[in-house]
Amino acid sequence: MKQFYYSMLAATLSLFAFASCSSGDDEGAFEISQLVGSEWKSSYEWLDSDDFSMESGTEVLVFTSSTKAEKTTEYEGYGWDYNYTLGSSEYKPYSGTRYTFYEYTVSDNVIHLTPTDGYYTLDLVISGNNLIDDTNDQIWTLSKKGDGVESDETSSYSWSNMSGFWMYDDPYSEYAAVMQVYKSQNAPSSRYLNNPEYGYFSCFGMHFNASGQMKEVTMETRLFENTLTIARIPASDGKTVYWTNIETGSYSGIEYTIHGNTIYYSGEPAFEIVSSDVIKDMHGGMYVRAK
């Protein structure tokens, strides 16, 4: 069972701020007109008494516009990770940064935050220079008042123009060029199948659907077509060659999200969008759009 212990320092500061506001000295109190551009800080820690996994972190919540907000969480902890070599679980440290993107509305003194993944709604009550999350027993303390100026960061990318096949650049680009030459030569189907140099033109990649769910694919040349196919090539012997997916896995249940020039998975950066035709994973691997 997880037990949550939020920062005593934050709680102390919040009580001090609340007492100051209650005393009638409102000169430094937060006003709702200062919400856009404002930053709020909090911290947390939890311990699972069943398996002794634990995590602590600091969080910064920023209201970037009149409808959008972002939360950055810097976290570290200990947890159990299965070691397939040893055949057992290991108690190991971990750390990282995760991002949560929200849309929000304000009614009276309550801010209603809804993550863009749509999983839950968070209600924060404005109390002086603090935001109170009663559900999670968390207090956010104002660290910077907003100036009312909305962030001008916009993204031209969404799943409406980024869905489709993304193939690992090497060897996909080479294979696509070779097959284009064969097609211009009106080559027979045998040139594409079990080619002495290129085999079945096997290459790895991904397919994102319109909802941002991802499925790993391995494309190979075949005389039959599976569900996902990059190319259909008429051959000189009257047959059609399909560059089609031979993997049977399903799409990810969790949707990838796009914010700015980054594709996120479960709140963590997964791919950098270089252009509408090129993306890179966080290890530098380059994927190109299959056309």
Side-chain angles (χ1 to χ4, degrees):
M1 178 182 296
K2 288 180 181 178
Q3 299 175 346
F4 290 82
Y5 307 91
Y6 288 99
S7 171
M8 293 301 295
L9 176 59
T12 301
L13 290 173
S14 68
L15 290 174
F16 176 80
F18 183 78
S20 298
C21 294
S22 300
S23 66
D25 179 11
D26 293 333
E27 182 179 353
F30 171 77
E31 298 178 3
I32 193 63
S33 61
Q34 300 166 323
L35 184 61
V36 175
S38 66
E39 296 183 6
W40 307 76
K41 293 184 178 180
S42 185
S43 61
Y44 71 92
E45 57 182 20
W46 57 257
L47 168 68
D48 191 324
S49 58
D50 292 331
D51 65 3
F52 298 104
S53 58
M54 63 181 70
E55 184 177 296
S56 62
T58 57
E59 299 184 301
V60 177
L61 178 64
V62 180
F63 292 87
T64 57
S65 75
S66 59
T67 59
K68 298 182 184 300
E70 301 176 3
K71 182 177 71 176
T72 302
T73 303
E74 301 281 349
Y75 64 88
E76 60 182 9
Y78 280 84
W80 295 93
D81 185 37
Y82 191 78
N83 187 317
Y84 289 92
T85 301
L86 299 177
S88 61
S89 294
E90 295 180 293
Y91 189 63
K92 300 175 62 176
Y94 65 87
S95 63
T97 304
R98 70 174 67 96
Y99 303 86
T100 309
F101 299 89
Y102 299 94
E103 294 180 352
Y104 75 91
T105 59
V106 180
S107 58
D108 296 326
N109 68 327
V110 180
I111 303 171
H112 307 282
L113 290 162
T114 302
T116 53
D117 58 24
Y119 288 125
Y120 61 91
T121 297
L122 185 66
D123 291 337
L124 302 179
V125 178
I126 303 171
S127 178
N129 287 342
N130 298 282
L131 302 178
I132 310 299
D133 177 5
D134 286 331
T135 302
N136 296 306
D137 295 328
Q138 188 171 10
I139 298 174
W140 295 83
T141 302
L142 180 67
S143 60
K144 175 187 174 184
K145 292 181 180 180
D147 53 13
V149 178
E150 301 195 11
S151 170
D152 60 359
E153 180 183 358
T154 58
S155 175
S156 59
Y157 303 112
S158 67
W159 289 122
S160 63
N161 56 23
M162 294 298 288
S163 61
F165 291 100
W166 292 90
M167 305 303 297
Y168 205 77
D169 182 52
D170 183 17
Y172 167 76
S173 294
E174 178 188 359
Y175 287 177
V178 170
M179 293 171 71
Q180 186 61 38
V181 171
Y182 290 173
K183 185 177 180 180
S184 66
Q185 295 173 343
N186 195 25
S189 60
S190 58
R191 187 81 67 87
Y192 302 92
L193 305 170
N194 201 20
N195 184 287
E197 185 173 357
Y198 304 108
Y200 291 91
F201 294 88
S202 179
C203 55
F204 169 79
M206 307 169 291
H207 183 268
F208 287 102
N209 64 21
S211 298
Q213 295 175 316
M214 187 269 283
K215 174 186 175 75
E216 293 184 348
V217 296
T218 300
M219 313 307 291
E220 291 190 357
T221 48
R222 293 288 190 270
L223 292 178
F224 57 84
E225 181 176 11
N226 288 328
T227 303
L228 297 173
T229 298
I230 290 180
R232 301 169 182 85
I233 306 169
S236 61
D237 53 9
K239 298 178 181 179
T240 298
V241 177
Y242 301 94
W243 206 5
T244 192
N245 177 42
I246 63 169
E247 295 289 342
T248 58
S250 57
Y251 284 95
S252 59
I254 298 177
E255 296 177 0
Y256 287 73
T257 58
I258 298 175
H259 300 278
N261 295 332
T262 304
I263 299 173
Y264 294 85
Y265 181 75
S266 292
E268 304 205 8
F271 300 95
E272 172 196 356
I273 302 176
V274 179
S275 71
S276 58
D277 291 321
V278 179
I279 63 176
K280 288 184 178 180
D281 63 29
M282 294 300 102
H283 304 289
M286 186 165 68
Y287 294 78
V288 295
R289 185 190 293 276
K291 297 181 177 180

